[in-house]
Amino acid sequence: MPKQRKKGDLPTKACLHCGRPFTWRKKWEKVWDEVKYCSERCRREAKRGRN
C-alpha cells in the first residue's frame, strides 16, 4: 500500500479568476495541468466575464 501524503505536501495553484490558492484533488489526478479554476463558480464567472 502506498504512503499517504500530508495535505501540506500536495501541489497548489492559484485560481485564474479569484486568485485564491487551491490544492490538488484526487479527481484532478489525470488533468492537473489543465485545471485553472478553484471551483465551478469561478469557472462560470470567468467564462461569463469574457463576453
Side-chain angles (χ1 to χ4, degrees):
M1 195 151 100
K3 278 189 167 182
Q4 292 188 350
R5 289 179 153 184
K6 293 182 181 178
K7 190 170 184 175
D9 295 338
L10 295 173
T12 61
K13 288 185 180 183
C15 177
L16 291 180
H17 181 69
C18 68
R20 290 170 148 174
F22 62 96
T23 308
W24 181 91
R25 295 182 185 176
K26 178 70 174 170
K27 69 180 184 178
W28 294 332
E29 183 174 24
K30 295 178 182 170
V31 293
W32 177 243
D33 294 331
E34 300 167 20
V35 177
K36 299 176 185 177
Y37 305 106
C38 63
S39 66
E40 187 66 26
R41 181 179 180 179
C42 279
R43 186 187 65 78
R44 272 195 316 264
E45 288 182 9
K47 189 175 181 180
R48 188 186 325 162
R50 281 191 229 149
N51 294 338

